[in-house]
């Protein structure tokens, strides 16, 4: 059998199987790939996964077909002609150049694609640190207002909603700066709204993973890790800690809800009212809080003038006198 | 004999027909594993006492009820006692006080394996046992993990015990994996493959092994100290917060790190300087290239790990604040230092496997290695690039978020040179006549497994996808596919391939086939579901999970038990083939052209009667008028196969 014959057979098999597999995947599996489509971030992360998968499948299938072919056709058991050694079997310039070119093109495309997705989607729901450069419209203003205590949010206003996520061993609590800064264990969000999560920790490193929202951001003490998402569907979602934070890390999860804008506003106003007495005892809203001198939970201090958009101040956060 | 001018001396001796004294019987007061253990215990006691004496009255120590100073000094003195006891310090100490050190000659008989041996073949076999022991204990912990994960609601362990098992498992396995190929096969084979009689620094080589064992004991000392809850990644501030087991983790990494640096340095110098005449860079076997690239990583990346560990110890003992954000340090510092080492480390755990595959393929396909130069260049490329990707472990950390596109690019770029191993492999298999003996089967499995590992790596490096999969079982599956599916399968291929040379016994094929098929099938059945489990939202290192994931988890657990069993088949095969029913191995059972196979079995003490003159690279299979690989001189023993040309 001559050379082209082997390769032609494999190529034909590869093209057919790849096309079928890709089409089946794209239409039947793709729409169900995590994290789903509850937010714009989730949708775009799912889209990215599917694009990668559609590119990866032919690669996998190509190598599998080749290996399978090798095992069946080129096994010593089947006899066949003696292999050829010498220079010809050592280097085949065309094969090498083609291999390097194709892999490079695929890889560079993927890097470019990932970058575009990351920038266009405002960080793709990942933790962007204290000074995000790819913020959605209105986010920076909403954040500044939240810190100043002048932020507002009302239904159908198109306003961005800042929410603070405070992680500690072993639970998450949430503060709503636009509603008087009340703190609660429930994460409720309005639908069709851009959300800014400000994630921080009171003790060790945790990671705020709102699975269906397509959001994941590490929670570090003294650091405000910002992540964006825009809700598009109502429903329940899971929040899990995804950075090992000690013994009860496995039990550090709860559920959140995306509800209609009106329902959210009602819930937030009610909670603000019922929690008012408690809220007064809380430290003033800030991006990060430091544990007290003994590291005891409960008694933490706001670290004053830290704004989220100046890394110098965040990293050099002044300690309040205790 | 002295080490300094040994090589010309040996050559002269060999040429004149006389041989230097090689072995002697052990003296009564000789040093061995037993004295090392005694040294370690005494050292530990002294160190602990000293630590308590100088520091037990400090208020913070009294208040916390923990004396990290005593624990650290105990372990440090313990390791020093161990090294004294095994005899690692005899030579430097004698030199230090101006005495002529005793000559180091190899001890006869099996007891040499329990001694400070400077013979690279003894060290290689010591490492085989060492890493298998490491792997076995780590494997038991893995079984415990999968047992706990059988049910989300019924628990076998407390969350506390569970997290400590997970952490110990990860750390032990990662430490083991740094040396699993470089230690046993690197030390044993590199001199044979490059036509040298020895390593460049035999004492450093012995040191690397005994320090490796010390590291093993230090990391296990975490258990009596109460374990540590941080996983193998040891992130601060959890690190700062946790108990005395953390000292074992930090010091253990520092100790293992010493061994890694020593081994890497020694091997790199050997490869560069001890190649036989004619062993030009374009004739160096691909395995040696991979070990050279690995050695470079070991020497250059490990100092970061060592420093990171020492900073952590200082934080715990003398209250510095390298990793304490509230006191001007940074928990990000640990994350950066750890992964700055940690990513090169993952290629320390990949490259040797590629080398083994490249070495075995030509032998069983009866074809020259395809694209040898691209393969070697790829390994060097990988080792360079691997220093520029570490932030991909920290995409969601908030560190340096604007640089994510850069690290996404570098990480995806590294899959180009990584992919060369497929170019080399598939090119070599093309129109070959493949003998599917055990080593080849394991290599085929590597190609299957590593493909999945590598491709999922590209998914992980895409930041938007990383948001969903970071910190979850998807990552877990990815790196088990690369490390276990790649490196460990390669190691098994290497053992089945080279043990006949190292031990003089063939491994049983039938038991080997059972081992292979159970390991291959159940490896995939254990770890493939973990990709799905991860996508469905299960984070790593958790003792409980969503109810609807129980089916997949149980499937994975049960497969894991069979996978564990496959290792018992392997151990049984070892015992069977080496002791119960030994079959003598011919000098060159696989008809290999590799220089290491041209020596007699068992390999003579000096490897080569005369330093060989290398004439060609070892891949001239199926070639008419192929050049001889090397001129070994006139003194070939009669049972040697012919060296010239291709075997029939
Ligand atoms: C094609 C090449 C590879 C690429 C593109 C790649 C990419 C990645 C990425 C992006 C991560 C971070 C995942 C996360 O935590 O979010 C990761 C994790 C990891 N990779 Fe790879 N990888 C590759 C090959 C390898 C190899 C060859 C090994 C080891 C032999 C390896 C071992 C690991 C380990 C141990 C981790 C996780 C460590 C941990 O979090 O505990 N990878 N890989
Ligand atoms: Cu956690
Ligand atoms: Cu990495």
């Amino acid at each position: 059998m001559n050379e082209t014959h082997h390769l032609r057979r494999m190529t034909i098999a590869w093209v057919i199987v790849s096309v079928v597999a890709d089409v089946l995947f794209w239409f039947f599996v793709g729409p169900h790939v995590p994290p789903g489509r509850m937010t714009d971030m989730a949708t775009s992360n799912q889209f990215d996964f599917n694009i990668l998968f559609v590119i990866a499948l032919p690669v996998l299938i190509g190598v599998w077909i080749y290996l399978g072919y090798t095992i069946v056709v080129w096994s010593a058991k089947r006899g066949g002609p003696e292999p050829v050694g010498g220079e010809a079997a050592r280097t085949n310039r065309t094969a090498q150049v083609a291999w390097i070119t194709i892999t490079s093109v695929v890889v560079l495309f993927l890097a470019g694609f990932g970058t575009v997705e990351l920038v266009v989607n405002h960080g793709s729901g990942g933790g962007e640190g204290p000074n995000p450069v790819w913020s959605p419209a209105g986010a920076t203003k909403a954040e500044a207002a939240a810190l100043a205590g002048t932020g507002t949010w009302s239904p159908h206003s198109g306003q961005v909603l800042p929410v603070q996520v405070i992680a500690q061993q072993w639970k998450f609590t949430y503060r709503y700066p636009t509603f008087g800064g009340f703190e609660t264990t429930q994460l409720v969000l309005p639908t069709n709204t851009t959300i800014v999560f400000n994630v921080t920790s009171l003790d060790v490193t945790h990671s705020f993973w709102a699975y269906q929202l397509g959001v994941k951001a590490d929670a570090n003490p003294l650091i405000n890790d910002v992540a964006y998402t825009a809700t598009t569907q109502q429903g329940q979602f899971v929040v899990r800690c995804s950075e090992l934070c000690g013994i009860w890390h496995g039990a550090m999860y709860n559920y959140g809800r995306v509800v209609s804008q009106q329902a959210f506003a009602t819930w937030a106003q009610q909670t603000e009212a019922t929690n008012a007495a408690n809220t007064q005892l809380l430290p003033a809203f800030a991006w990060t809080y430091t544990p007290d001198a003994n590291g005891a939970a409960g008694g933490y201090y706001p670290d004053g003038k830290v704004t989220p958009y100046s890394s110098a101040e965040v990293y050099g956060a002044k300690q309040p006198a205790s | 004999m002295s080490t300094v001018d040994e090589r010309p001396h040996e050559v002269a001796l060999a040429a004149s027909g006389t041989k230097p004294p090689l072995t002697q019987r052990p003296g009564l007061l000789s040093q061995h594993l037993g004295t090392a253990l005694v040294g370690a215990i005494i050292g530990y006691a002294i160190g602990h006492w000293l630590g308590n004496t100088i520091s037990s009255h400090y208020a913070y120590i009294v208040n916390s009820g923990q004396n990290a100073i005593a624990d650290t000094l105990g372990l440090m003195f313990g390791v020093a006692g161990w090294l004294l006891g095994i005899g690692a310090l005899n030579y430097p100490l004698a030199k230090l006080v101006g005495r002529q050190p005793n000559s180091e000659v190899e001890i006869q008989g099996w007891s040499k394996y329990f001694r400070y041996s400077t013979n690279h073949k003894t060290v290689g076999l010591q490492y085989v046992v060492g890493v298998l022991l490491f792997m076995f204990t780590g494997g038991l912990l893995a079984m415990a993990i999968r047992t706990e994960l059988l049910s989300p609601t019924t628990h076998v362990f407390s969350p506390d015990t569970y997290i400590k098992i997970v952490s110990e498992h990860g750390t032990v396995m990662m430490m083991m994996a740094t040396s699993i190929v470089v230690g046993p096969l690197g030390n044993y084979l590199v001199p044979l493959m490059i036509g040298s009689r020895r390593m460049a620094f035999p004492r450093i080589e012995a040191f690397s092994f005994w320090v490796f064992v010390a590291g093993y004991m230090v990391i296990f000392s975490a258990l009596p100290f109460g374990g540590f809850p941080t996983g193998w990644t040891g992130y601060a501030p959890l690190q700062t917060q946790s108990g005395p087991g953390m000292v074992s983790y930090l010091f253990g990494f520092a100790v293992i790190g010493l061994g890694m640096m020593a081994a890497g340095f020694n091997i790199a110098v050997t490869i560069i300087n001890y190649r036989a005449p004619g062993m030009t860079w374009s004739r160096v076997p691909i395995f040696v290239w991979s070990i050279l690239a690995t050695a470079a990583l070991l020497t250059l990346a490990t100092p970061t790990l060592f420093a990171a560990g020492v900073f952590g110890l200082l934080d715990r003992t003398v209250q510095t604040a390298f990793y304490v954000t509230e006191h001007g340090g940074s928990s990000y510092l640990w994350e950066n230092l750890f992964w700055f080492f940690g990513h090169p480390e993952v290629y320390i755990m990949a490259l040797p496997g590629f080398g083994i595959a490249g070495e075995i393929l030509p032998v069983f396909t009866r074809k020259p290695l395809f694209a040898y130069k691209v393969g070697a260049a790829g390994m060097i490329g990988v080792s360079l690039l691997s220093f520029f990707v570490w932030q991909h472990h920290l995409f969601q950390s908030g560190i340096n978020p604007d640089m994510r596109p850069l690290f996404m690019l570098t990480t995806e770029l590294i899959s180009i040179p990584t992919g060369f191993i497929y170019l080399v492999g598939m090119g070599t298999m093309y129109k070959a006549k493949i003998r599917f003996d055990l080593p080849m089967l394991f290599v085929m499995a590597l190609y299957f497994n590593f493909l999945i590992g590598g491709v999922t790596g590209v998914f992980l490096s895409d930041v938007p996808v990383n948001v969903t999969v970071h910190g979850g079982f998807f990552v877990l599956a990815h790196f088990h596919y690369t490390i276990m599916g790649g490196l460990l399968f390669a190691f098994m291929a290497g053992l089945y391939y080279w043990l006949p040379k190292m031990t003089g016994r063939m491994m049983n094929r039938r038991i080997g086939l059972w081992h292979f098929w159970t390991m291959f099938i159940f490896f995939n059945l254990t770890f493939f579901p973990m990709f799905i489990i991860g996508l469905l939202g299960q984070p790593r290192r958790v003792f409980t999970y969503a109810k609807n994931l129980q089916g997949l988890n149980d499937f994975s657990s049960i497969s894991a038990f069979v996978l564990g069993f496959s290792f018992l088949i392997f151990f049984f095969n070892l015992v069977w083939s080496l002791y119960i029913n030994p079959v003598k191995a011919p000098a060159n059972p696989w008809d290999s052209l590799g220089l290491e196979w041209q020596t007699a079995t068992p390999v003579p003490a000096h490897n080569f009667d005369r330093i060989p003159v290398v004439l060609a690279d070892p891949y001239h299979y199926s070639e008419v008028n192929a050049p001889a690989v090397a001129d070994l001189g006139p003194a070939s023993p009669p049972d040697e196969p012919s060296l010239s040309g291709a075997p029939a």
Side-chain angles (χ1 to χ4, degrees):
Chain A
M1 230 176 325
N2 63 40
E3 209 155 292
T4 43
H5 212 119
H6 289 298
L7 287 182
R8 199 191 311 141
R9 273 190 191 173
M10 284 191 255
T11 313
I12 292 172
W14 173 68
V15 171
I16 296 174
V17 179
S18 301
V19 169
V20 172
D22 267 353
V23 169
L24 289 180
F25 173 81
W26 186 264
F27 289 104
F28 293 102
V29 185
H32 308 288
V33 161
R37 299 179 173 189
M38 203 165 176
T39 63
D40 64 341
M41 294 299 172
T43 311
S44 80
N45 294 357
Q46 184 195 61
F47 175 71
D48 270 44
F49 185 97
N50 291 351
I51 291 288
L52 284 178
F53 206 93
V54 165
I55 295 174
L57 257 183
V59 175
L60 293 171
I61 291 170
V63 176
W64 285 337
I65 287 184
Y66 192 92
L67 291 183
Y69 195 88
T70 303
I71 293 171
V72 175
V73 178
W74 292 320
S75 156
K77 269 210 193 108
R78 290 173 52 108
E82 285 301 316
V84 185
E87 226 21 62
R90 285 171 174 259
T91 45
N92 177 326
R93 194 169 263 285
T94 325
Q96 298 188 21
V97 171
W99 179 281
I100 296 173
T101 314
I102 294 172
T103 49
S104 305
V105 167
V106 171
V107 157
L108 289 173
F109 166 76
L110 288 179
F113 172 70
T115 304
V116 170
E117 283 289 288
L118 181 67
V119 175
V120 169
N121 291 303
H122 316 298
S124 289
E128 292 211 73
N131 310 292
V133 285
W134 304 307
S135 350
T140 314
K141 233 175 73 195
E143 290 271 274
L147 193 66
T150 57
T152 57
W153 188 90
S154 49
H156 314 298
S157 62
Q159 283 165 306
V160 172
L161 178 74
V163 176
Q164 182 171 52
V165 179
I166 304 172
Q168 60 188 295
Q169 286 167 324
W170 284 275
K171 66 178 176 201
F172 291 105
T173 54
Y174 309 95
R175 284 191 86 167
Y176 288 81
T178 39
F179 292 89
F182 71 80
E183 186 170 357
T184 159
T185 54
Q186 294 179 43
L187 180 55
V188 180
L189 301 172
T191 185
N192 293 323
T193 303
T194 300
I195 316 282
V196 190
F197 288 111
N198 296 271
V199 184
T200 189
S201 163
L202 301 181
D203 38 48
V204 303
T205 305
H206 305 262
S207 189
F208 170 69
W209 180 16
Y211 176 63
Q212 286 89 341
L213 304 189
V215 169
K216 186 173 283 156
D218 278 9
N220 291 284
L222 282 169
I223 286 158
N224 179 29
D225 198 8
V226 176
Y228 303 104
T229 196
T231 53
T232 54
Q233 292 174 3
Q234 298 187 24
Q236 205 189 40
F237 56 89
V238 194
V239 174
R240 286 209 73 148
C241 177
S242 77
E243 188 58 71
L244 178 53
C245 54
I247 299 175
W248 294 99
H249 163 63
M252 191 164 161
Y253 60 89
N254 58 19
Y255 299 90
R257 270 176 304 143
V258 179
V259 298
S260 73
Q261 299 198 352
Q262 197 53 55
F264 171 76
T266 316
W267 171 83
Q269 280 150 9
Q270 266 175 14
T271 317
E272 182 178 357
T274 43
N275 279 18
N278 288 340
T279 307
Q280 284 200 319
L281 303 174
L282 292 178
F285 184 83
W287 294 132
T288 69
Y289 309 89
T290 46
D292 75 6
N294 298 318
Y300 46 82
Y301 299 89
D303 62 344
K305 292 176 289 192
V306 182
T307 67
Y309 300 112
S310 143
S311 64
E313 283 185 61
V314 169
Y315 288 102
K318 261 216 324 267
Q319 299 298 303
S322 53
Chain B
M1 64 199 163
S2 90
T3 335
V4 194
D5 48 1
E6 196 169 73
R7 199 165 130 89
H9 176 64
E10 267 174 32
V11 175
L13 275 178
S16 70
T18 38
K19 291 191 176 162
L22 293 171
T23 54
Q24 73 177 30
R25 299 208 157 277
L28 265 183
L29 288 174
S30 63
Q31 288 167 298
H32 45 67
L33 181 63
T35 50
L37 279 172
V38 172
I41 293 169
I42 295 175
Y44 180 81
I46 294 177
H48 206 266
W49 169 82
L50 190 68
N52 267 326
T53 311
I54 56 183
S55 64
S56 57
H57 56 280
Y58 282 103
Y60 74 90
I61 286 176
V62 175
N63 291 341
S64 70
Q66 260 183 41
N67 190 341
I69 297 183
D71 295 338
T72 309
L73 286 182
L75 290 176
M76 280 183 179
F77 279 63
V79 170
W82 168 264
L83 291 175
L84 264 178
I86 196 69
L89 305 180
N90 294 359
Y91 184 91
L93 288 183
K95 280 280 185 194
L96 204 63
V97 296
R99 290 235 312 268
Q100 181 61 34
N102 289 336
S103 64
E104 281 148 353
V105 283
E106 177 88 339
I107 299 291
Q108 276 172 10
W110 58 269
S111 83
K112 70 180 174 199
Y113 294 110
F114 297 92
R115 292 170 194 280
Y116 197 72
S117 167
T118 52
N119 180 327
H120 74 94
K121 295 184 288 294
T122 311
V123 176
L125 282 165
Q126 287 174 325
Y127 258 118
V128 172
V129 178
V131 297
L132 288 179
L133 191 71
F134 236 118
M135 197 165 80
F136 188 69
T137 31
L140 286 180
L141 293 165
M143 296 296 106
I145 296 174
R146 287 315 318 179
T147 309
E148 167 67 37
L149 292 180
L150 276 169
S151 160
T153 43
T154 314
H155 298 294
V156 183
F157 303 106
S158 69
D160 185 36
T161 313
Y162 177 72
I163 202 63
K164 286 164 180 174
I165 290 174
V166 172
S167 304
E168 190 75 26
H169 162 76
T171 313
V172 163
M173 286 302 203
M174 288 297 181
M175 286 181 170
M176 183 273 299
T178 57
S179 304
I180 185 169
V181 170
V182 170
L185 301 176
N187 281 306
Y188 197 102
L189 296 169
V190 162
L192 289 172
M193 285 184 163
I194 61 173
S196 164
R197 291 197 163 141
R198 41 166 283 196
M199 281 288 191
F201 304 111
R203 280 183 211 94
I204 291 189
E205 182 183 35
F207 175 83
S208 71
F209 172 72
W210 288 101
V211 160
F212 174 74
V213 183
Y216 174 79
M217 296 192 302
V218 171
I219 192 57
F220 270 100
S221 72
L223 295 181
F225 281 148
F228 57 96
T230 58
W232 84 285
T233 46
Y235 279 13
L238 186 58
Q239 176 197 104
T240 321
Q241 189 194 59
S242 42
M246 213 64 227
V247 172
S248 303
Y249 165 92
L250 293 165
F251 190 59
F253 260 136
V255 172
I256 283 277
L258 273 183
M260 288 160 68
M261 287 184 268
F265 181 68
N266 176 36
I267 290 176
V269 172
T270 306
I271 296 176
I272 293 169
N273 294 305
Y274 277 68
R275 280 170 294 131
M279 180 59 83
T280 57
W281 285 115
S282 58
R283 292 178 183 163
V284 166
I286 197 80
F287 177 73
V288 175
W289 272 112
S290 77
I291 296 294
L292 180 61
T294 310
L297 290 179
L298 283 169
T299 336
L300 296 175
T302 319
T304 313
L305 172 75
F306 184 85
V310 170
F311 292 165
L313 284 175
L314 290 173
D315 275 8
R316 301 187 73 79
T317 49
V318 295
Q319 308 292 296
T320 53
F322 286 99
Y323 306 134
V324 187
T325 318
E326 298 91 298
H327 297 288
S330 167
S331 56
Y332 280 170
L333 176 62
W334 170 268
E335 292 182 0
N336 270 316
L337 288 176
F338 184 85
W339 288 116
F340 190 82
F341 152 79
H343 192 87
E345 146 87 340
V346 313
Y347 279 96
I348 290 171
M349 303 185 289
L351 290 170
F354 300 170
I356 292 179
E359 208 55 46
I360 287 180
L361 274 165
V363 181
F364 291 89
T365 53
R366 311 314 292 170
K367 281 190 67 198
L369 190 66
F370 184 75
Y372 163 89
K373 285 190 179 144
V374 175
M379 291 176 181
I380 302 301
V382 163
S383 57
L384 285 178
L385 258 181
S386 70
F387 282 99
F388 300 94
V389 301
W390 81 98
Q391 289 263 337
H392 65 212
H393 298 273
L394 302 167
F395 279 147
Q396 318 307 339
S397 66
I399 303 177
N400 214 352
D402 310 341
M403 285 294 123
R404 283 177 295 178
L406 174 69
F407 287 100
M408 173 156 45
L409 176 67
T410 54
T411 306
E412 288 177 356
L413 281 182
I414 209 170
S415 51
I416 301 175
T418 309
F420 289 172
I421 179 72
Y422 281 85
L423 173 67
V424 169
M426 288 158 67
T428 309
M429 288 175 212
Y430 187 71
K431 286 220 267 186
K433 199 167 173 181
I434 306 177
R435 300 188 317 220
F436 287 105
D437 283 320
L438 284 166
M440 188 63 194
L441 286 177
F442 276 100
V443 168
M444 294 299 278
L446 171 147
Y447 274 99
F448 181 84
N449 299 338
F450 193 84
L451 184 65
I452 299 176
V455 164
T456 50
V458 177
F459 280 71
L460 287 167
S461 44
D462 184 87
V463 181
V465 173
N466 188 278
V467 171
T468 298
V469 288
H470 170 72
F473 264 54
F474 192 93
V475 179
L476 205 68
H478 157 70
F479 71 75
H480 281 88
Y481 260 92
T482 50
I483 301 173
M484 188 162 181
L487 185 68
L488 202 60
F489 274 75
F491 178 60
M492 288 297 172
L495 282 186
Y496 278 104
Y497 180 65
W498 278 299
L499 272 183
K501 174 93 325 188
M502 297 164 81
T503 64
R505 305 269 180 274
M506 292 304 286
M507 293 289 278
N508 184 293
R509 184 181 151 89
R510 183 184 282 264
I511 310 175
L513 282 174
W514 276 100
H515 168 212
F516 170 75
W517 285 110
T518 41
M519 181 165 159
F520 176 64
I521 293 173
F522 288 95
F523 163 77
N524 278 286
L525 293 185
T526 303
F527 290 102
F528 197 82
M530 290 191 194
F531 286 118
I532 302 167
I533 295 174
L535 277 173
L536 292 177
Q538 184 169 324
R540 292 164 69 178
R541 300 155 166 171
V542 293
F543 60 88
T544 181
Y545 49 83
K547 191 97 192 119
N548 62 336
L549 294 180
Q550 183 167 8
L552 282 167
N553 273 293
D554 286 357
F555 186 85
S556 174
S557 285
I558 291 165
S559 306
F561 300 144
V562 188
L563 178 61
F565 178 73
S566 78
F567 282 85
L568 294 184
I569 304 181
F570 170 69
F571 285 115
F572 176 71
N573 198 359
L574 273 184
V575 176
W576 177 266
S577 306
L578 298 185
Y579 301 108
I580 301 180
N581 193 8
V583 176
K584 193 171 176 317
N588 190 355
W590 317 108
D591 286 330
S592 167
L593 294 179
L595 194 52
E596 77 276 22
W597 293 103
Q598 314 309 328
T599 57
T601 299
V603 184
H606 269 322
N607 297 352
F608 301 98
D609 271 344
R610 212 193 68 184
I611 297 289
V613 177
V614 178
L615 303 172
D617 68 66
Y619 304 123
H620 287 271
Y621 293 94
S622 299
E623 195 175 318
V624 261
N625 303 326
V629 171
D631 176 3
L632 291 169
S636 274
D639 66 329
E640 285 287 80
S642 135
L643 296 176
S644 49

